[in-house]
Amino acid sequence: MADPYRTGPGTWTLRRAATNPTAPPPARLLRVPGAGPQQLHRGMTLVATISLFIGTRAAWTNAMATRPAVAGVISVCYASILVCAVLSLLVRSRRALIRVDAVVLVTAVALVVCGYLLDHAGTDEGVLTAQAANEILHGRPVYGQPWPWLFGTPNVGITKTMSGGADYTYGYPPLTALLAAPVHAVVHSTAAATLITTAALLISSVLLWFLLPAPWRSAATAVCLGFGLLPHYAYAGYPAITALALLVPVVVRWPATGEGGRLGSGGVLRAACLGAACAAQQLAWFLAPFLLIGLYAVRRGELGSRRALAVTARYTATAALTCAAVNAYFAVEDFSAWLQGVLLPLDQKAILHGQGLMGISYYFTDGSGRLDYYSYGSQLLLVGLLVATLLFVRRLGPALTVLPWIAFYLATRSQDGYFLMMTPLWLAAAATVPAAAFATAWQPRLPHVTGRAKVVLAGGLLAPALVCVAIAAASPPPLRMSLSPHFAAHHARVGVTAIEVRAVNTTGTALTPHFASRTGQGASNWWTIASGPAVLPPHGSAEYHVKPAGGFRALPRGHGPGIYLIAVTGTPMTITTAHIPTAPSAIQ
């Protein structure tokens, strides 16, 4: 019989346990660090597994009422989630945990496919892209063509402009529409666009999973598919998802691009992907200059200025030619309409929306007569961040994929989609671009600028943007409005049928006001000006009789902040907000 006290390596002898129960195992008998899965890797896998629960119940509930077979698949996914959670804590080898990561990814893909089967009608972005694909199929112009009949349903919103109108045209580069065109030939609906964006998200998620180091792979699953954020943008048909998919291979280990002075096939492919991303959606435009600055700095530290400039120029030229090739047909067809279309989101002066600093003037004060300064601040911040990246690339390089989106926080359109749709790129850089990659990167020499002086210089680069924001936020509203609302009851709801507005222009500029109502965030459709001048002269006053769209605007229920009337102008960009009194005695 074997001696129970004789044991091999890796176990703790019974004799030692009996004689000194509190003594730790000998160091030589402990598991060698790194031999099995690291605890951080287990944690990443577990977090990704948990993230798959988000939104799954709502999808299952919807599927049970409409597509029971899909609900059955979701139920199987629940079982997979539970099994993966157990295995992520129990498996003993790295290879086994990587297999669990793969199962988590497959489960996430299955849930996204189920979500697409339940919701693929798309929003305004998907509807516009599908219509553009249809126009391409029939050889008709895409840019500069209004399609008002596409809007008006609950899930297809309209982007209203500060000039009192709305945009009904296609305002994105053409790549997503080009990819959707052959699908539209078969599907004949908005699903052609949403299928492309959903497929792009799935492909980019799987690609990122393979490109990342093993401990980070499940984090990619969580960020791309698990939290339920990006899939909904894909179901909506956002062209930005196509751009994201193309930017993934660009960002992963990007400091290695052009190493040794040669782009090679990998560098050319990355440059082509960057150009294609710029031809898919405008968000890629903001990342491109940061990447080029970072690439030049890293290569110059390795190769010197001339060779670094040469490899960066080849990279840039390849990206530019790819982007130009995608856009060429549309630019030749009608250059002016194409240019206005791809620049539309940058100069359309859309109505305020988002979670950024513009909310000071939109939600928390009575308005501002200098909303344009938010845009100036956003532009100056972008320039300041680019200069700071050039000057301090060794310090800022690891965050290069995050920096471009900070500028949107100051813009008049600062919704969260501008930030979160590119978050997989943040993860890709965190996992594959360490700070050590910038240790020898070139930086301009700044004599006598050290320590606190660097902080002061960096603050000076950002100060003009903050000054612009302060001007916009502190500026008073241009109009002084007093309201006399008319109320009525309709289908057991009390609402506003018209408002008498006395408006005084307190500025020295002629203003053309347009009216809408607001409860919480977002604005209603434009109200009709039944009487009153179109243009309010400087320091002039006028009486306006305005009516809500449809002739009735129901008052909000409960004890919220109430309902507001806003008056906006496009040139200059201004907003004035006045609370609509809702005292019961005022109801007529």
Side-chain angles (χ1 to χ4, degrees):
M1 180 178 179
D3 184 355
Y5 299 102
R6 284 181 174 269
T7 57
T11 58
W12 196 15
T13 63
L14 297 177
R15 181 181 292 113
R16 186 176 182 89
T19 57
N20 190 358
T22 61
R28 66 179 178 84
L29 299 179
L30 292 174
R31 181 177 296 275
V32 178
Q38 297 177 356
Q39 202 65 16
L40 176 62
H41 188 175
R42 292 186 188 275
M44 288 282 195
T45 305
L46 187 62
V47 168
T49 304
I50 294 170
S51 73
L52 301 186
F53 282 121
I54 299 175
T56 305
R57 179 182 178 185
W60 179 86
T61 302
N62 185 17
M64 282 302 300
T66 58
R67 291 174 175 255
V70 174
V73 174
I74 295 175
S75 294
V76 174
C77 290
Y78 265 107
S80 178
I81 293 171
L82 297 173
V83 171
C84 288
V86 172
L87 293 178
S88 67
L89 300 174
L90 293 184
V91 295
R92 296 185 177 183
S93 69
R94 290 179 177 179
R95 181 174 297 180
L97 189 55
I98 291 173
R99 290 171 179 166
V100 176
D101 290 333
V103 176
V104 174
L105 175 65
V106 171
T107 305
V109 169
L111 287 172
V112 170
V113 171
C114 289
Y116 174 79
L117 294 174
L118 296 171
D119 176 20
H120 54 261
T123 60
D124 52 333
E125 308 242 357
V127 169
L128 281 168
T129 302
Q131 183 64 32
N134 183 58
E135 301 300 301
I136 291 170
L137 281 175
H138 291 86
R140 295 191 289 259
V142 170
Y143 292 100
Q145 308 299 313
W147 303 318
W149 62 86
L150 299 177
F151 302 87
T153 58
N155 63 322
V156 181
I158 301 175
T159 300
K160 295 180 285 292
T161 61
M162 298 289 281
S163 60
D167 276 325
Y168 301 103
T169 60
Y170 191 64
Y172 306 100
L175 181 59
T176 306
L178 284 169
L179 295 174
V183 181
H184 198 282
V186 178
V187 177
H188 304 302
S189 72
T190 306
T194 58
L195 179 61
I196 291 297
T197 52
T198 303
L201 177 62
L202 293 175
I203 292 170
S204 64
S205 302
V206 174
L207 176 63
L208 184 58
W209 192 93
F210 279 104
L211 291 177
L212 292 187
W216 290 85
R217 288 175 173 173
S218 276
T221 302
V223 171
C224 294
L225 306 176
F227 292 130
L229 299 175
L230 295 185
H232 287 289
Y233 283 100
Y235 304 155
Y238 273 64
I241 298 298
T242 308
L244 167 66
L246 291 162
L247 288 173
V248 165
V250 175
V251 167
V252 173
R253 300 180 182 87
W254 67 263
T257 305
E259 210 166 23
R262 294 181 65 257
L263 277 182
S265 58
V268 171
L269 178 61
R270 287 177 174 178
C273 285
L274 177 60
C278 291
Q281 214 266 355
Q282 291 90 341
L283 284 179
W285 300 0
F286 293 86
L287 178 62
F290 286 88
L291 279 174
L292 296 178
I293 289 174
L295 180 62
Y296 174 75
V298 172
R299 292 286 73 83
R300 180 167 174 175
E302 176 199 7
L303 306 170
S305 60
R306 182 175 298 180
R307 294 181 66 193
L309 183 60
V311 73
T312 306
R314 291 196 298 271
Y315 183 89
T316 305
T318 303
L321 287 173
T322 303
C323 184
V326 176
N327 285 277
Y329 169 79
F330 304 94
V332 171
E333 182 183 43
D334 189 338
F335 181 81
S336 178
W338 165 79
L339 186 62
Q340 291 178 7
V342 296
L343 295 179
L344 182 64
L346 304 181
D347 61 9
Q348 68 185 157
K349 293 189 175 182
I351 196 167
L352 305 180
H353 185 262
Q355 296 80 30
L357 291 179
M358 62 84 210
I360 298 173
S361 301
Y362 195 27
Y363 304 123
F364 301 111
T365 68
D366 292 334
S368 171
R370 296 180 175 177
L371 291 179
D372 289 298
Y373 277 81
Y374 284 117
S375 297
Y376 302 153
S378 178
Q379 296 164 16
L380 288 172
L381 180 57
L382 184 65
V383 173
L385 290 171
L386 281 168
V387 175
T389 301
L390 176 65
L391 297 179
F392 309 114
V393 69
R394 294 177 187 173
R395 180 63 175 164
L396 297 179
L400 189 143
T401 56
V402 182
L403 292 176
W405 322 117
I406 298 176
F408 287 100
Y409 193 71
L410 275 60
T412 53
R413 298 281 288 187
S414 59
Q415 58 236 34
D416 55 359
Y418 295 144
F419 313 121
L420 65 88
M421 277 194 286
M422 295 296 153
T423 48
L425 304 181
W426 306 2
L427 177 68
T432 64
V433 185
F438 303 92
T440 60
W442 171 81
Q443 290 185 167
R445 291 185 178 181
L446 302 174
H448 312 297
V449 179
T450 59
R452 292 183 179 179
K454 288 185 177 181
V455 177
V456 173
L457 176 59
L461 293 172
L462 306 182
L466 299 180
V467 169
C468 287
V469 170
I471 291 173
S475 175
L479 301 180
R480 188 168 60 247
M481 297 193 305
S482 57
L483 311 182
S484 299
H486 299 271
F487 297 95
H490 182 67
H491 294 298
R493 293 291 303 274
V494 175
V496 180
T497 57
I499 298 180
E500 306 291 341
V501 182
R502 175 170 175 77
V504 179
N505 184 354
T506 62
T507 73
T509 304
L511 300 176
T512 304
H514 307 278
F515 298 90
S517 58
R518 175 178 71 81
T519 56
Q521 68 87 31
S524 70
N525 292 330
W526 297 116
W527 288 34
T528 302
I529 300 178
S531 64
V535 178
L536 192 58
H539 303 292
S541 62
E543 302 282 345
Y544 290 90
H545 183 77
V546 296
K547 296 181 178 180
F552 183 82
R553 181 68 165 91
L555 298 179
R557 299 181 185 272
H559 303 283
I563 184 171
Y564 298 88
L565 184 74
I566 63 173
V568 304
T569 63
T571 305
M573 282 183 65
T574 72
I575 185 169
T576 303
T577 302
H579 185 264
I580 300 176
T582 56
S585 59
I587 300 177
Q588 298 178 353

